[in-house]
Amino acid sequence: MSVHQQGSTSVLELHGARTGNCLRAAIALNEAGLSYRIHHVDLRGGEQRSEPHLALNPRGKVPVLVIPATLATPMRVITQSNAILFYAAEHSGGRLLPAEGNWQRTTALEAFFHFTTDVIALNGAAFGLQKQGHADAAAELTDRYLAAIDASECLLSDAGFMGSDDFSIADIAAFTIIQAVNTHVAWTRLPRLSAWRDRIAERPAVRDGTRAFDKT
Ligand SMILES: N[C@@H](CCC(=O)N[C@@H](CS)C(=O)NCC(=O)O)C(=O)O
């Protein structure tokens, strides 16, 4: 999506709150070495449905990444966390996703989609169903995404990353959802996944991204 400049900022702006989807975007921008400003959106207060926010994202969701205008391009807006991950990857000089034609890219994407479609999407749906009082359906989806997390140990490469030999957006997608549901994961039977999680958590860009929406 691109929108006309509203004349505000010359750095990237990440609009969001302390949720898994927003932390995923923040970690990716950090890992890519992109500087950005945080704009807190008060979800409890309904700010995501305010006029200024809807002007950026008519679907009333966060995260939203605002890319400032340049002489050559208008201001642009990205509204899906995983699209923000791809934007970060494109601007990371190859550090977050291997180049096209490299088999490692395919295996990284395989792991990335395992987490986005089989874990993150089901987690979001389970959350919505639970809120609407459909506890049984929510529990069924929860069992399915926890099983997908169990199964993800076999996606770890010998080098210890999700799907490929290097850190990538697959690790970011996996780490943020696993942290969000961490108390439900059967860690004792997942030693490699547990070691991977500890290693990813120690990365400075991950540590800083995890705190991006903390209010000091
Ligand atoms: N698929 C979207 C999901 C966005 C989403 O559901 N965001 C939640 C917070 S994590 C939100 O904005 N909730 C506020 C609401 O629905 O009112 C993404 O990955 O960005």
Side-chain angles (χ1 to χ4, degrees):
M1 180 197 319
S2 83
V3 295
H4 294 296
Q5 186 177 17
Q6 289 162 350
S8 50
T9 171
S10 62
V11 293
L12 297 175
E13 241 180 37
L14 184 60
H15 295 229
R18 207 180 182 294
T19 73
N21 288 328
C22 296
L23 297 184
R24 183 157 53 254
I27 289 171
L29 296 174
N30 284 358
E31 285 283 357
L34 297 170
S35 36
Y36 59 97
R37 215 162 40 207
I38 288 290
H39 179 103
H40 292 274
V41 177
D42 175 10
L43 295 182
R44 289 211 176 138
E47 192 184 341
Q48 69 276 29
R49 290 183 293 277
S50 68
E51 221 174 277
H53 189 80
L54 291 174
L56 293 174
N57 182 6
R59 289 176 292 281
K61 301 279 183 195
V62 291
V64 171
L65 182 68
V66 179
I67 304 162
T70 67
L71 285 177
T73 56
M75 178 178 122
R76 293 198 160 122
V77 177
I78 310 177
T79 63
Q80 283 284 342
S81 60
N82 293 307
I84 297 171
L85 262 59
F86 275 89
Y87 174 85
E90 275 169 28
H91 293 82
S92 70
R95 289 200 310 282
L96 293 185
L97 195 60
E100 279 178 29
N102 182 340
W103 178 245
Q104 294 279 314
R105 179 187 179 91
T106 304
T107 53
L109 288 176
E110 182 183 33
F112 174 80
F113 286 113
H114 175 84
F115 278 96
T116 52
T117 65
D118 295 4
V119 182
I120 295 171
L122 297 198
N123 171 261
F127 180 76
L129 285 167
Q130 185 72 41
K131 259 190 8 194
Q132 288 164 19
H134 303 296
D136 287 353
E140 168 66 28
L141 290 188
T142 301
D143 286 349
R144 280 199 225 169
Y145 75 68
L146 289 175
I149 289 176
D150 267 32
S152 71
E153 220 182 34
C154 69
L155 293 171
L156 283 170
S157 68
D158 290 345
F161 296 106
M162 277 297 165
S164 76
D165 289 345
D166 290 303
F167 181 86
S168 77
I169 57 171
D171 293 286
I172 300 174
F175 180 77
T176 47
I177 186 62
I178 286 177
Q179 286 299 83
V181 300
N182 130 64
T183 55
H184 303 287
V185 176
W187 289 112
T188 48
R189 59 167 191 260
L190 299 168
R192 291 185 67 227
L193 194 68
S194 174
W196 162 86
R197 175 188 173 228
D198 292 346
R199 273 196 318 279
I200 301 295
E202 280 166 10
R203 295 174 70 89
V206 171
R207 251 195 342 249
D208 291 350
T210 303
R211 295 193 200 112
F213 287 94
D214 290 0
K215 289 190 177 157
T216 47

